């Protein structure tokens, strides 16, 4: 092995799990064998998926052998069909075989050069479109507190929903945009994702993929079951000490949906239908995408607020942080940014700061903001979610709020059309906004939700477009950057425990 080349943890895991197959393939090439099927490597992630992939690979092998048998029976006895090179082949072919074996190279190169089998051409009458969630995944996600919906969706109650029910403060969306956290549902119509981000707080228990290849549930069923699942979880707080009666009653009516629970919501084929149904029920939509599906972003109908997760400002650091599945991940991000610029409704960049990973890319971030011209930029320190074999993130990677503020101030210094508008200290989050949202010295980062619903309905019926300035509302003084409350709503009571603020 080449000592100077360092494998990533994913490559090392892939290598070790498939080491026998890799070595066997190399030695067969040295014995002058031909590959009748490409070498297929798989990840040690889910036994059910491995079984399914092996079955489909076996069907291709059987089909090949059946074809060989058919050809063999039609040939003369002194002829044969072989998967091995004949001993009488010329020397140049023999040399080619040896060269092929030598070209396999060092074992670590396999991780970059192996050919993955694609099963889209496998035809079998008994084949059925498989469900996204296998029994193993269902068990894992349920254990983590998810209420699974159908075959590929999920809902989970947010800690800030619990907090606001008790009058202990709302989330940063309450501070920045005026949502009621106790009336917000956090869900996703797609638990699958095209990234394996190092800071993912789901510990990579959800499936991954670059295209939708699973059974698809209808949008109305997803929405109905998600609402029922959310309400069921909220009802468990009836009678819990500290829960405010008025807010508990209000919580049964969902008014906001954070489409950002886990996975990539925009992968769901009927995402526009789902969003439209939410708006018809006066549920606002905050949709977060990892910017790897630009065509889906382009085809998206107006949402209340559209987010792009911009986790790094250079190709190298984005690959290290997001660990994307797409090889053209950087171009996909650039295309998504260009498409976002043409969106007329509210748009946001979400920057997750990870100390020692991406906090030295201020100038590069400024360039990306100038390119995409989002209405807002949310800058948030990464949240440490405990040890995981899939992530190297520790508390050392979590920046202090003062570090986040310092980063934001450096960033705004390089942007002519933006300024710091608000902060939510106990989420370690700061909001940058376009100066267009500052009118007569007053910030208007909040949302007039009733106005948005009427505009969205008009767009649906008559196709009349609207802009983010048509449904903005004034930001209260306590939410502004530099206010003594540091983004905490004074109507609530801040909770202290063991000298820590929660």
């Amino acid at each position: 092995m080449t000592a100077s080349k360092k494998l990533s943890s994913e490559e090392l895991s892939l290598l070790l799990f498939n080491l026998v197959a890799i070595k066997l393939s190399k030695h067969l090439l040295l014995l002058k064998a031909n590959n009748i099927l490409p070498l297929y490597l798989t990840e040690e992630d889910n036994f059910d998926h491995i079984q399914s992939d092996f079955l489909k690979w076996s069907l291709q092998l059987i089909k090949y052998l059946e074809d060989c048998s058919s050809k063999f029976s039609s040939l003369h006895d002194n002829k044969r069909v072989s998967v091995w090179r004949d001993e009488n082949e010329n020397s140049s072919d023999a040399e080619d075989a040896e060269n092929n074996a030598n070209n396999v190279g060092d074992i670590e190169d396999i991780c970059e050069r192996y050919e993955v089998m694609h099963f889209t051409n496998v035809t079998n009458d008994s084949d059925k479109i498989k469900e996204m969630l296998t029994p193993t995944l269902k068990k894992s996600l349920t254990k983590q507190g998810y209420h699974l919906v159908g075959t590929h969706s999920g809902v989970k109650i947010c800690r800030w929903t619990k907090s606001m029910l008790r009058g202990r403060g709302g989330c940063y969306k309450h501070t920045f945009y005026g949502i009621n956290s106790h009336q917000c549902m956090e869900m996703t119509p797609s638990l699958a994702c095209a990234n394996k981000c190092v800071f993912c707080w789901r510990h990579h228990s959800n499936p991954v993929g670059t295209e939708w290849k699973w059974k698809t549930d209808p949008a109305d069923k997803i929405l109905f079951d998600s609402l029922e699942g959310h309400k069921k979880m909220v009802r468990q707080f009836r009678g819990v000490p500290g829960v405010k009666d008025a807010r508990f009653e209000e919580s049964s009516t969902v008014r906001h949906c954070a489409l950002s629970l886990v996975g990539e919501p925009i992968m769901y084929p009927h995402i526009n239908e789902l969003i439209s149904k939410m708006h018809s029920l006066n549920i606002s939509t905050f949709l977060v995408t990892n910017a790897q599906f630009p065509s889906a972003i382009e085809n998206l109908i107006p949402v209340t607020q559209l987010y792009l997760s911009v986790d790094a400002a250079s190709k190298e650091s984005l690959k290290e942080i997001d660990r994307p599945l797409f090889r053209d991940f950087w171009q996909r991000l650039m295309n998504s940014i260009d498409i976002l610029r043409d969106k007329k409704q509210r748009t946001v960049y979400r920057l997750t700061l990870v100390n020692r990973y991406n906090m030295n890319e201020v100038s590069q971030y400024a360039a990306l903001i100038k390119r995409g011209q989002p209405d807002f930029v949310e800058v948030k320190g990464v949240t440490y979610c405990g040890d995981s074999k899939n992530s190297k993130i520790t508390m050392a990677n979590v920046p202090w709020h003062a570090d986040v503020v310092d980063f934001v101030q450096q960033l705004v210094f390089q942007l002519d059309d933006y300024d710091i508008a608000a902060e939510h200290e106990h989420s370690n989050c700061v909001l940058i906004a376009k100066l267009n949202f500052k009118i007569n010295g007053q910030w208007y980062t909040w949302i007039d939700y009733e106005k948005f619903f009427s505009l969205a309905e008009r767009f649906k019926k008559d196709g009349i477009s609207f802009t983010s300035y048509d449904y903005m509302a004034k930001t209260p003084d306590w939410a502004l950057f530099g206010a003594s409350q540091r983004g905490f709503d004074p109507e609530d009571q801040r909770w202290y425990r063991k000298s820590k603020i929660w």
Side-chain angles (χ1 to χ4, degrees):
M1 297 179 68
T2 305
S4 61
K5 186 170 183 179
K6 185 177 180 181
L7 293 176
S8 69
S9 58
E10 291 77 19
E11 291 173 331
L12 183 60
S13 175
L14 184 71
L15 167 66
L16 294 177
F17 188 63
N18 296 276
L19 190 59
V20 173
I22 293 170
K23 286 187 174 182
L24 178 61
S25 177
K26 181 173 182 178
H27 286 298
L28 286 174
L29 287 172
L30 287 171
L31 291 171
K32 307 176 185 179
N34 284 332
N35 280 329
I36 61 175
L37 292 177
L39 174 64
Y40 173 60
L41 307 184
T42 187
E43 295 183 4
E44 188 181 8
D45 58 351
N46 187 281
F47 181 71
D48 296 320
H49 283 173
I50 294 174
Q51 277 191 316
S52 175
D53 288 348
F54 179 74
L55 175 61
K56 293 177 181 179
W57 180 87
S58 300
L59 290 174
Q60 285 202 356
L61 177 61
I62 292 171
K63 185 177 184 301
Y64 177 88
L65 295 176
E66 288 175 344
D67 290 343
C68 287
S69 177
S70 176
K71 292 177 182 178
F72 182 81
S73 62
S74 64
L75 292 175
H76 194 269
D77 289 342
N78 63 349
K79 295 182 180 180
R80 63 188 176 90
V81 176
S82 175
V83 299
W84 299 92
R85 291 185 181 271
D86 194 288
E87 293 179 358
N88 294 324
E89 287 179 315
N90 59 45
S91 59
S92 61
D93 286 341
E95 290 172 359
D96 287 342
E98 185 174 356
N99 289 335
N100 285 339
N102 291 333
N103 286 338
V104 172
D106 294 330
I107 293 295
E108 65 267 27
D109 293 332
I110 293 291
C111 293
E112 296 181 358
R113 301 177 54 210
Y114 75 90
E115 181 175 4
V116 178
M117 288 284 292
H118 296 285
F119 300 114
T120 54
N121 295 326
V122 178
T123 57
N124 189 305
D125 293 338
S126 63
D127 276 358
K128 295 182 180 179
I129 300 176
K130 63 181 179 181
E131 295 183 356
M132 179 187 294
L133 296 178
T134 64
T136 305
L137 281 173
K138 288 179 180 178
K139 182 178 179 180
S140 174
L141 291 169
T142 301
K143 186 177 180 180
Q144 295 177 49
Y146 291 86
H147 175 86
L148 301 179
V149 176
T151 64
H152 53 73
S153 307
V155 61
K156 189 177 184 182
I157 192 166
C158 175
R159 60 160 291 204
W160 291 108
T161 299
K162 304 174 188 177
S163 177
M164 202 162 191
L165 279 171
R166 295 175 175 177
R168 295 177 176 176
C171 68
Y172 74 88
K173 287 190 182 74
H174 172 63
T175 298
F176 295 169
Y177 315 119
I179 77 163
N180 293 325
S181 301
H182 62 292
Q183 292 183 285
C184 181
M185 174 177 70
E186 191 176 23
M187 67 85 64
T188 180
S190 170
L191 289 160
C193 188
N195 289 345
K196 293 184 176 182
C197 303
V198 295
F199 54 75
C200 181
W201 57 289
R202 316 302 177 182
H203 297 308
H204 309 286
S205 54
N206 56 305
V208 293
T210 57
E211 61 180 351
W212 190 269
K213 54 185 177 182
W214 302 281
K215 177 182 176 182
T216 305
D217 298 329
D220 53 355
K221 177 174 174 56
I222 291 175
L223 179 55
F224 177 81
D225 290 351
S226 295
L227 289 171
E228 288 302 307
H230 175 79
K231 292 175 184 178
K232 181 179 179 181
M233 289 186 286
V234 170
R235 282 197 294 268
Q236 296 174 0
F237 285 85
R238 182 187 297 275
V240 172
V243 170
K244 294 181 175 294
D245 293 338
R247 290 187 179 178
F248 179 79
E249 293 302 320
E250 290 173 346
S251 67
S252 62
T253 303
V254 174
R255 282 287 171 255
H256 315 282
C257 181
L259 288 154
S260 60
L261 176 63
V262 68
E264 177 57 83
I266 210 167
M267 284 183 72
Y268 174 55
H270 307 307
I271 186 65
N272 281 337
E273 183 182 353
L274 179 64
I275 290 169
S276 180
K277 289 181 181 297
M278 287 184 178
H279 292 167
S280 68
L281 296 176
N282 286 357
I283 299 174
S284 66
T285 49
F286 292 77
L287 176 64
V288 181
T289 173
N290 288 318
Q292 291 298 291
F293 297 91
S295 59
I297 297 173
E298 187 173 20
N299 296 327
L300 195 67
I301 65 172
V303 296
T304 310
Q305 192 154 281
L306 176 61
Y307 288 78
L308 284 192
S309 289
V310 185
D311 300 324
S314 67
K315 183 177 180 179
E316 295 73 23
S317 56
L318 187 66
K319 182 177 181 180
E320 184 179 11
I321 293 174
D322 279 4
R323 299 186 293 190
L325 301 186
F326 284 110
R327 292 185 178 181
D328 59 340
F329 62 91
W330 184 252
Q331 187 58 50
R332 286 175 174 271
L333 173 63
M334 294 299 102
N335 293 345
S336 298
I337 286 175
D338 293 339
I339 291 169
L340 189 82
R341 181 168 185 157
D342 295 331
K343 293 288 183 181
K344 296 182 178 181
Q345 293 74 43
R346 292 168 69 108
T347 56
V348 185
Y349 278 7
R350 172 177 284 181
L351 276 56
T352 301
L353 298 186
V354 187
N355 195 20
R356 302 174 186 173
Y357 277 84
N358 61 0
M359 293 188 66
N360 61 344
E361 298 181 336
V362 178
S363 297
Q364 295 96 315
Y365 272 120
L368 293 182
I369 292 171
K370 292 175 183 178
R371 178 168 179 164
Q373 290 292 306
D375 292 321
F376 306 97
V377 181
E378 292 177 5
V379 185
K380 186 180 185 302
V382 68
T383 300
Y384 176 64
C385 303
D387 295 330
S388 169
K389 66 178 182 179
N390 296 310
S391 175
K392 298 178 181 179
I393 297 297
T394 68
M395 281 300 297
N397 300 112
V398 180
W400 295 95
H401 186 65
D403 298 327
V404 175
V405 171
D406 180 64
F407 178 93
V408 168
Q409 290 173 334
Q410 293 182 53
L411 183 59
V412 168
F413 182 76
Q414 300 187 35
L415 300 170
D416 296 331
D417 302 327
Y418 293 83
D419 202 353
I420 307 174
E423 69 175 328
H424 192 248
E425 184 185 37
H426 44 309
S427 285
N428 201 6
C429 190
V430 178
L431 179 68
I432 300 172
K434 267 188 174 180
L435 290 175
N436 293 355
F437 288 88
K438 195 172 188 178
I439 303 173
N440 297 325
Q442 299 289 325
W443 281 109
Y444 283 75
T445 67
W446 275 35
I447 297 172
D448 184 337
Y449 292 99
E450 295 306 318
K451 184 68 177 296
F452 169 79
F453 295 133
S454 65
L455 292 170
E457 182 63 22
R458 188 181 67 175
F459 175 84
K460 181 180 178 180
K461 287 184 177 180
D462 304 324
I464 300 175
S465 186
F466 58 98
T467 72
S468 54
Y469 306 114
D470 293 329
Y471 57 102
M472 62 182 181
K474 185 178 180 297
T475 311
D477 292 340
W478 58 263
L480 299 177
F481 177 72
S484 60
Q485 294 86 353
R486 308 301 295 272
F488 188 87
D489 191 338
E491 289 189 8
D492 287 338
Q493 181 66 44
R494 201 159 190 174
W495 182 42
Y496 295 83
R497 183 176 67 179
K498 294 182 180 179
S499 300
K500 292 183 179 180
I501 299 176
W502 296 84

